[in-house]
Amino acid sequence: MKGTRLILALAAALFAGCQASSMGRLPAGLVDLYDNAAPGGWMEIEADRSGRIIEMEAEIPVSALPPAVRAAADRELPGGQIVGAEREIVGGRHGYEVKKRKDGREYELVFTRGGELLEKEVGLSRDEAPRAVMDAASAAMPGASFKSVELVERGAEKLYHVKFTRDGVSYKVALTPEGVVTRRVREQKAEIEIPLE
């Protein structure tokens, strides 16, 4: 299990736009994600260096997936086993992620509540990723140990996420198919406490 983790500058992300009289407010949607997250599950926030939220997601029970999302996942990737689920907010867009395992490969399919496919991630072996991607990712994280690689497709856009560990810490490098690094992040464990309703 990933555990609760926040990516990059959590404090800046959560309290961006702080006012002098208070610490500010949590990003819109975070409390809802928290309320619907699987008890004991994890949440993730990714921010840029200015503190702007890029993405928020939370693990949810598979039983919480809307029927249209489950049906769309079965149409997109027939067979296999659903092994996890998430709710996520990316750029104000709400979605549901279905994690599936089929023929020894991991897939993550992100849909709107109505079942429109927004994103598809496919776990690859190191040898299946383009050499330019792997060489650039390794150069971006010197001294790190390779962990995994995924092909991420959003419509016509394709990216690769290469994950590493170094000194017990997890990192992710995002790259174009040509091997251009678009971002590097460190995954940081954190704790979120919000009063129950």
Side-chain angles (χ1 to χ4, degrees):
M1 180 168 314
K2 293 181 183 178
T4 302
R5 63 186 171 132
L6 303 180
I7 299 179
L8 289 175
L10 175 63
L14 291 178
F15 304 117
C18 293
Q19 301 171 358
S21 62
S22 72
M23 296 274 307
R25 298 184 58 82
L26 293 172
L30 181 64
V31 174
D32 183 57
L33 283 178
Y34 174 89
D35 285 343
N36 290 284
W42 56 269
M43 293 181 68
E44 179 179 309
I45 296 174
E46 184 172 346
D48 65 17
R49 294 297 295 178
S50 72
R52 183 179 60 89
I53 300 293
I54 296 169
E55 180 175 347
M56 299 187 298
E57 54 189 55
E59 180 181 11
I60 61 171
V62 171
S63 60
L65 287 170
V69 170
R70 288 182 76 113
D74 288 338
R75 280 192 308 275
E76 180 67 29
L77 186 64
Q81 176 186 9
I82 296 178
V83 295
E86 298 174 9
R87 277 191 61 200
E88 63 179 49
I89 303 171
V90 180
R93 178 199 79 208
H94 292 255
Y96 289 85
E97 180 174 289
V98 180
K99 296 174 183 282
K100 290 188 88 171
R101 186 175 296 129
K102 182 178 179 183
D103 300 328
R105 192 178 295 268
E106 302 288 326
Y107 297 86
E108 297 178 2
L109 307 165
V110 180
F111 299 94
T112 64
R113 183 176 195 78
E116 175 190 351
L117 181 66
L118 299 173
E119 179 178 298
K120 180 178 184 179
E121 295 183 17
V122 181
L124 304 175
S125 71
R126 186 180 190 132
D127 295 336
E128 291 175 303
R131 180 162 212 83
V133 166
M134 296 309 299
D135 288 349
S138 294
M141 291 303 306
S145 299
F146 171 78
K147 188 173 166 184
S148 65
V149 59
E150 301 167 329
L151 170 61
V152 180
E153 297 175 306
R154 295 179 187 123
E157 179 189 23
K158 291 185 179 184
L159 287 173
Y160 289 85
H161 290 173
V162 185
K163 297 180 181 179
F164 295 93
T165 58
R166 184 171 62 199
D167 300 325
V169 179
S170 295
Y171 296 87
K172 177 173 69 176
V173 180
L175 308 97
T176 68
E178 298 76 32
V180 176
V181 174
T182 60
R183 72 184 193 283
R184 296 181 315 146
V185 299
R186 181 184 76 228
E187 297 179 348
Q188 184 68 40
K189 292 181 181 180
E191 184 174 309
I192 298 174
E193 294 182 3
I194 299 175
L196 298 174
E197 292 181 43

